Amino acid sequence: MTTMSGSDGASAGGSGGRGWFTPASDAATAERPAPGGPEAVPSQQAAVTAAPEPEHEPEPEHAHEPEAVPEPGAAAPAATAGWAAPAAPAPPAEPAGDQLGDSELIGASMAELERSADSATAYFYALLFVQYPHLREMFPAAMDGQRDRLFRALLTAVRLFDDGKLLGEYLAGLGRGHRKYGTLPAHYPAVGECLMAAIARYAPDTWGPRTEAAWVRAYTAISQTMIDAAAEDERRAPAWWDAEIVSHELRTSEIAVITVRPDQPYPFRAGQYTSLETPWWPRVWRHYSFASAPRPDGLLTFHVKSVPAGWVSTALVQRARPGDVLRLGPPAGSMLVDHEADSGLLCLGGGTGIAPIKALVEDVVSRGRVRPVEVFYGARTDHDLYDLETMLRLQDRHRWLSVRPVVAAGAASAAEALAGELPDAVRRYGPWPAYDGYLSGPPGMIRTGVETLRGLGIPTHRIRHDSLDELVVQGA
């Protein structure tokens, strides 16, 4: 995902705001209202939530009303009639000798759906909120960003369809993360019903009994994986942690370093991230990386950059103060150091993406093993190198650590700073094939960084970042 620190953001493997599988309250049930009832489509013309990823463009000011909104109480299209709970999928059609497999059928329908992605996802949510209106209040007021997250997650799941291990990890993370929304097993059939209806409507050329059966099988497996992961997680961890702000330091007018004390022990590893909800924007979650390795005192630190129209990030930077209580979701992410390996670490951190890179360096320090770590700290200007002094102090204490600041705009005046783009700076040094790559920053930096490291001889399996959904959807 892009960096999980910084502004209102993500990667990876998670969705920044609401989940794509119907978050709902514990008191709510997924029962359909009686036909002809008083429910109406909830207004989606409301204030927008902040962008889900660091340094992305902000979401539009208002969400658009979906086309072809179903009437309240109307039955779902025939293609979804009889949709059952995940454990009881509809029986598939008899296979033919030249029949495509499930992944090909689902992939073809998704390719067709992409041409009407906005309309299809708007229709899905409209149908969901009409048929199950009690779920609407659990979503953000504005749905444009939510629609985008739904489609990204669908594309990611489809493109990982034939990689059971990676898909299982991705879905398990979603399932664990959805606990903080109050998602229950009973909510999944409602989403499945409305999802099938949207696909049937907006992918008519590829939809049919065999494609429907393939989707039912896939959704059944997807939802069961998420349900099982949530149930397992429930036995060992709370759905969320309350965390009191104990320190709020403005490094620049746009960047704050925030330290919190969780109400109970919070287990995580250096390089991971969490989702965060503020008291000012309930039910709106954003992703932030931990800016340090686990500490003996249990405190957690985040680097937050406010962005235009980023309500959560702006509130955290400009409004939050010591004593305020935030809510944290479970830890996630796989940008972890392999402490069994002897390879060096080549770390690229852009902007507030330096936060998890700093945590990785501290993690290496805590292990007491000497291994080379090369950090390239990229920023637009000298002013954006807000944590350079911290990184240079680490370099002074550890001879195996090298920190190179890189400034893209204008001449670099900061101590030891290189002028130019981050990939170009990395190419000037090396060789790097014996190193493991770690990247954290905006989506564009992640994409170009991966290409750069692969071009310099680092194999893909040794390049770590948490932009899974972003990069899979982009085909990177």
Side-chain angles (χ1 to χ4, degrees), residues 36-132:
E39 295 82 359
V41 177
S43 171
Q44 298 181 27
Q45 301 288 344
V48 66
T49 60
E53 299 292 349
E55 304 182 54
H56 276 192
E57 291 295 324
E59 295 174 4
E61 182 62 26
H62 296 287
H64 300 291
E65 292 292 343
E67 298 178 2
V69 175
E71 291 298 323
T80 66
W83 177 267
E94 288 295 324
D98 59 348
Q99 178 177 316
L100 295 175
D102 282 3
S103 60
E104 290 84 4
L105 290 168
I106 292 172
S109 62
M110 281 300 296
E112 182 181 0
L113 198 66
E114 282 190 76
R115 298 196 290 266
S116 305
D118 290 343
S119 297
T121 48
Y123 180 85
F124 161 78
Y125 282 112
L127 181 62
L128 182 69
F129 297 152
V130 166
Q131 303 291 9
Y132 306 96

Side-chain angles (χ1 to χ4, degrees), residues 253-347:
S253 61
E254 298 176 329
I255 298 175
V257 174
I258 301 174
T259 301
V260 303
R261 178 184 291 111
D263 61 346
Q264 52 188 307
Y266 188 100
F268 75 100
R269 294 179 62 185
Q272 289 190 303
Y273 60 90
T274 186
S275 51
L276 187 153
E277 180 193 48
T278 72
W280 306 285
W281 302 110
R283 302 187 303 277
V284 178
W285 297 77
R286 292 294 180 260
H287 289 150
Y288 295 93
S289 288
F290 300 103
S292 65
R295 296 165 45 166
D297 59 11
L299 298 181
L300 311 173
T301 300
F302 304 96
H303 295 180
V304 182
K305 179 179 180 180
S306 63
V307 296
W311 291 5
V312 173
S313 63
T314 299
L316 287 171
V317 173
Q318 304 296 341
R319 185 170 180 176
R321 294 293 182 270
D324 292 332
V325 177
L326 311 177
R327 180 171 287 183
L328 308 179
S334 57
M335 196 177 73
L336 310 174
V337 175
D338 180 2
H339 292 290
E340 299 300 320
D342 294 323
S343 53
L345 278 63
L346 174 59
C347 304

Side-chain angles (χ1 to χ4, degrees), residues 419-441:
E421 299 294 334
L422 199 57
D424 296 331
V426 174
R427 292 189 188 100
R428 296 180 207 169
Y429 296 86
W432 304 119
Y435 284 69
D436 293 337
Y438 293 83
L439 302 98
S440 181

Side-chain angles (χ1 to χ4, degrees), residues 3 33 98 134 136 209 222 237 239 246 267-268 276 369 393 397 404 432 440 446 463:
T3 175
D98 59 348
H134 59 277
R136 180 60 181 94
I222 286 171
V246 297
F268 75 100
L276 187 153
R369 289 183 58 200
R393 284 197 299 269
R397 291 198 297 267
R404 296 184 177 92
W432 304 119
S440 181
I446 297 290
I463 300 175

Side-chain angles (χ1 to χ4, degrees), residues 380-397:
R380 291 192 180 94
T381 67
D382 288 343
H383 179 71
D384 297 319
L385 295 170
Y386 69 94
D387 209 34
L388 180 58
E389 289 187 12
T390 302
M391 298 303 298
L392 292 178
R393 284 197 299 269
L394 284 169
Q395 177 183 249
D396 291 340
R397 291 198 297 267

Side-chain angles (χ1 to χ4, degrees), residues 141 154 156 161 165 235 246 289 302 341 383-384 422 442 447-448 450:
L154 278 176
T156 300
F161 193 83
K165 183 177 184 296
R235 292 192 287 268
V246 297
S289 288
F302 304 96
H383 179 71
D384 297 319
L422 199 57
R447 287 192 293 271
T448 58
V450 169

